[in-house]
Amino acid sequence: GPGAAGSAAGGGPLPLDEAVRSCHIRWGGRARKRAAQPGRERQLMTRIYISLGSNIEREHHIRAGLDALQAEFGQLAVSRVFESEAVGFNGRPFYNLVVGADTDLPLATLCQRLRAMEFAHGREPDAKKFAPRTLDLDLLLYGDLVCEAPLVLPRGEILTNAFVLWPLAELAPALRHPVDGRPLGELWNIYDKASQRLSPIPFHWDAVDLQPH
């Protein structure tokens, strides 16, 4: 997405206390419980990471996106919120962040759910890639899955855009990129930080203060 630019079930999810060091964790008290379906084997949970971005009524839409994700997945690991310049077009600055969650949804269903959330919060069905956004939800990682369809994973912006890599590395610095192989923290350390202007900002969501530090 434009976020400042502009979305095998392998391995188990990282424990939150190990995967998240410099972020703030929101334990979702309103997690939706899914009833077990007769004859359906319980699927293993997959750790996913999702990028959120908005440059239209930014605070409102970022909070709405977090609420929607919490309602869908329960507990979320939440990075700090960053303000970044629009990349790829002339537009107002974006708010961006990354969340981590666990899901048993198949990849195609997950993509449909994320797109439905975008539409519910004002995204136009024919929205251009590089354009203003009410709410952009991009799936960055689905476990360690590498694929080309129904979307490309891992998302290419992890390696190219600071507004994706910095908050993602903040959440899971030891997690290795499924293709590159290096830890996300190392990838951020060597990233050309002068190439994109980005800064953490104070942000309040649902009794959680995400403070720059």
Side-chain angles (χ1 to χ4, degrees):
S7 122
L14 290 173
L16 288 179
D17 58 347
E18 295 180 11
V20 184
R21 298 176 185 270
S22 59
C23 71
H24 301 257
I25 301 174
R26 170 61 182 169
W27 296 100
R30 300 187 296 274
R32 190 177 70 189
K33 295 182 179 179
R34 296 186 179 86
Q37 299 179 11
R40 177 174 179 261
E41 294 183 2
R42 186 176 181 275
Q43 295 187 11
L44 294 177
M45 301 295 280
T46 299
R47 174 57 104 183
I48 59 173
Y49 291 94
I50 299 166
S51 173
L52 291 80
S54 174
N55 76 335
I56 299 175
E57 297 181 37
R58 302 177 297 180
E59 290 193 14
H60 167 74
H61 286 113
I62 291 298
R63 289 194 183 97
L66 287 168
D67 287 342
L69 292 171
Q70 183 184 14
E72 177 66 43
F73 302 114
Q75 67 185 42
L76 302 176
V78 185
S79 77
R80 293 177 294 169
V81 177
F82 295 82
E83 185 173 48
S84 56
E85 294 181 330
V87 174
F89 69 103
N90 292 322
R92 289 174 290 185
F94 277 78
Y95 281 174
N96 292 99
L97 71 155
V98 170
V99 303
D102 297 320
T103 185
D104 61 357
L105 291 175
L107 178 58
T109 304
L110 173 60
C111 293
Q112 293 170 357
R113 296 277 176 89
L114 295 179
R115 182 52 63 93
M117 290 179 194
E118 291 179 328
F119 290 157
H121 293 94
R123 179 177 177 134
E124 298 294 334
D126 58 349
K128 297 179 180 179
K129 179 179 175 66
F130 296 107
R133 287 283 189 272
T134 52
L135 180 63
D136 208 26
L137 299 174
D138 292 326
L139 182 62
L140 306 176
L141 295 169
Y142 182 88
D144 59 3
L145 179 65
V146 178
C147 67
E148 297 290 331
L151 78 169
V152 176
L153 289 175
R155 189 169 179 86
E157 286 175 314
I158 294 173
L159 299 178
T160 60
N161 284 321
F163 68 85
V164 173
L165 180 55
W166 191 356
L168 180 59
E170 186 174 86
L171 287 184
L175 182 64
R176 292 184 178 274
H177 188 282
V179 175
D180 179 278
R182 286 175 289 183
L184 296 172
E186 179 182 336
L187 291 173
W188 174 242
N189 286 338
I190 64 175
Y191 184 86
D192 179 9
K193 297 174 180 61
S195 63
Q196 293 181 7
R197 295 180 61 182
L198 187 70
S199 58
I201 62 164
F203 195 88
H204 184 84
W205 169 65
D206 202 14
V208 176
D209 285 308
L210 305 173
Q211 294 293 339
H213 53 264

